[in-house]
Amino acid sequence: MRYLVNSREIKQYDNVTTERFGMPSVVLMERAAAAFAEELRRQGVDCSRVLVACGSGNNGGDGYAIARLLLLEGCDVCVLAAGHTEGTSAGATGEEESPYEKVTARATDANRLQRRIFEAYGGRVVCRLPEQAVYTAVIDAVFGVGLSRKIEGIYAEQIGQLNGLSGTKIAVDIASGIADSGAILGTAFRADLTVTFAFEKLGAVLWPGNTYSGRVIVRDIGITEHSFGGERPQVAALENKDLIRLPEHVSHSNKGSYGKLLLVAGSAGMAGAAFLGAKAAYCTGCGLVRIVTPEENRVILQTGLPEAVLTTYPANHPMTEDVTAAMKWADVIVCGPGLGTSPAASQLLGAVLESACARDVPLLLDADALNLIAKDISLLRAPHGPVIVTPHLGEMSRLTGQSVALIQSRLIAAAADFAREYGVVCVLKDEHTVTAVPDGRIWLNCSGNAGLATAGSGDVLSGVTGALMAQGMPAEDAAPFGVYLHGLAGEAAAKETGINGLMAGDLPEGVRRVLAGVQQHHRGSGKDRFCQSPAAQTH
């Protein structure tokens, strides 16, 4: 697991490191500069002619320190003191403030110190870019984390000039202009590489900030988990090493040992959603999957997936004795994929909600179940057991009445607000899907690829997540692990199909490949089955 921090959190951890552990901030700055310079060498960046753009804050201080180290290594280095109006002398006494500087703090003490040291070593500082200058590397140390207002005026002009230069573009900590939400504040530096310190920054992971960040590399500078001071970051991301916590099949077991999943899915002409969800559940290790679906889907489902048990109902008359019995049989219920929004579908959803609540059965609501709930959101306010909802942006818009654009601009907050208000685990699907738990924990998914943007992909996710719950994972754990596994399945499948040709039907096989690798790791490491709640361990 890795942490993703916002600007408030990293500033707090920086303060804890300096105040509690006595690490001087200038030492952290020196370590950051040394790590950055070393990373440039490791990445093979041509530093024969370097431009470093420095702002007036500590990010700019990092920039001056980096410039000095490169200068002492024999590189041709020039520093642009960003934000100075044309014609002013960077460093001149009584210099005129630019409009942006008038509403922000003057240079920090650390910034001034690093600049003085750089200049003492003969470093060159300019107020504007030399005309027709050519650089092999352009380093952005203008703003860093914590920027909250739109970049305008001379700063916007200069960042545009930096983006137009030749040479490799590298950002210090985070590309200037990216907010915590990933939003672009008017303009932003377009990095090929970002060298960030201590922990990954949220804005560089979330869209569209991730498109400005290039490859992101994290370097240690002395701010560690010891610096949390009792407050861990709110957002975390799973990693491959966490997969060892997935349920494992063991000896002396049977199909009942791995759960009974009821999939209420499909409508006339929409058998595919039920097929994809059920197959994905089996490929994730579920012991037994029963599909509740209209009679019209019987032949295609029995032909395509004979492993599934079918309980069918006549069109428009879903509440048969067999359907009621199936709900009482289930350990976990997934409801919604391809269900439609007819009165019969609404009746079926109501029965599912009532049954799951009465028996405290974990429930996953997806697709048309969410569209039906959007018509009467009070259904989610009623008492219920563990519930996962998996809306995409359009479905979330219908559930909340907010625009898609607004939701996407505050992806993490939107999921967290919904989880807290309705007491559900909210899986808000986007390029980086957010899983929010009612107690405030948040997971941001970093697996997957653009090939997952295809019809039926969400049905597979529902089957994967439902299967993990059926095998004993609590809903708050099954949701982020299901999302992560689903993304890895997309990566595995795309190796065979390519991203453009990836179909939802390829994903269950991708799940198999990923889990096969996990099982090999289990055997190779001699690990016993890990039964403790992953989130309880890691948060």
Side-chain angles (χ1 to χ4, degrees), residues 374-539:
K375 298 177 181 179
D376 183 9
I377 197 67
S378 66
L379 292 171
L380 276 186
R381 297 189 188 278
H384 56 70
V387 173
I388 299 174
V389 296
T390 60
H392 57 56
L393 294 176
E395 290 160 350
M396 191 67 163
S397 177
R398 289 188 281 276
L399 286 167
T400 62
Q402 299 173 357
S403 70
V404 167
L406 177 60
I407 294 168
Q408 193 166 46
S409 72
R410 55 187 304 274
L411 201 69
I412 290 175
D417 290 348
F418 196 88
R420 183 173 54 255
E421 181 173 358
Y422 295 102
V424 300
V425 178
C426 181
V427 177
L428 181 51
K429 296 182 288 193
D430 196 37
E431 178 182 4
H432 292 296
T433 292
V434 176
T435 300
V437 182
D439 65 11
R441 286 173 292 148
I442 295 171
W443 303 90
L444 188 66
N445 186 59
C446 295
S447 67
N449 54 44
L452 292 171
T454 186
S457 178
D459 304 328
V460 173
L461 174 60
S462 292
V464 169
T465 306
L468 294 179
M469 286 196 289
Q471 293 172 83
M473 289 190 87
E476 62 267 24
D477 302 337
F481 272 86
V483 172
Y484 185 63
L485 181 55
H486 177 259
L488 293 179
E491 295 175 14
K495 292 178 181 178
E496 301 294 329
T497 67
I499 289 178
N500 288 358
L502 184 63
M503 298 173 62
D506 302 316
L507 296 176
E509 181 58 35
V511 172
R512 278 180 174 158
R513 292 179 197 166
V514 174
L515 292 181
V518 175
Q519 290 157 8
Q520 289 175 359
H521 181 76
H522 273 272
R523 291 193 294 269
S525 63
K527 296 283 187 181
D528 293 326
R529 183 178 178 184
F530 194 101
C531 297
Q532 186 174 352
S533 162
Q537 267 225 339
T538 57
H539 270 57

Side-chain angles (χ1 to χ4, degrees), residues 235-414:
V235 181
L238 294 173
E239 301 177 278
N240 284 353
K241 64 184 179 182
D242 296 311
L243 293 176
I244 199 169
R245 298 169 185 161
L246 289 174
E248 184 186 6
H249 283 212
V250 296
S251 62
H252 198 65
S253 58
N254 56 63
K255 63 179 180 288
S257 305
Y258 306 109
K260 297 177 290 185
L261 175 65
L262 183 66
L263 179 59
V264 182
S267 53
M270 290 289 288
F275 171 83
L276 290 168
K279 185 172 183 179
Y282 272 128
C283 288
T284 310
C286 189
L288 191 59
V289 180
R290 180 185 295 270
I291 303 173
V292 169
T293 196
E295 177 65 29
E296 291 92 332
N297 294 334
R298 177 181 293 278
V299 173
I300 190 169
L301 290 174
Q302 286 187 326
T303 302
L305 193 66
E307 298 89 346
V309 179
L310 290 186
T311 297
T312 62
Y313 55 85
N316 302 322
H317 298 286
M319 294 316 302
T320 66
E321 291 183 4
D322 288 344
V323 170
T324 301
M327 293 181 189
K328 294 179 180 179
W329 164 90
D331 296 325
V332 173
I333 302 176
V334 173
C335 180
L339 190 65
T341 56
S342 67
S346 181
Q347 185 182 5
L348 195 54
L349 172 63
V352 165
L353 293 171
E354 183 178 350
S355 177
C357 178
R359 299 177 52 238
D360 200 31
V361 169
L363 174 62
L364 187 150
L365 300 171
D366 182 34
D368 284 327
L370 299 177
N371 291 328
L372 288 167
I373 287 172
K375 298 177 181 179
D376 183 9
I377 197 67
S378 66
L379 292 171
L380 276 186
R381 297 189 188 278
H384 56 70
V387 173
I388 299 174
V389 296
T390 60
H392 57 56
L393 294 176
E395 290 160 350
M396 191 67 163
S397 177
R398 289 188 281 276
L399 286 167
T400 62
Q402 299 173 357
S403 70
V404 167
L406 177 60
I407 294 168
Q408 193 166 46
S409 72
R410 55 187 304 274
L411 201 69
I412 290 175

Side-chain angles (χ1 to χ4, degrees), residues 126-149:
V126 299
C127 301
R128 58 185 178 185
L129 285 175
E131 294 183 5
Q132 299 180 335
V134 177
Y135 300 96
T136 60
V138 178
I139 297 173
D140 162 38
V142 179
F143 288 121
V145 298
L147 187 66
S148 59
R149 57 173 297 155

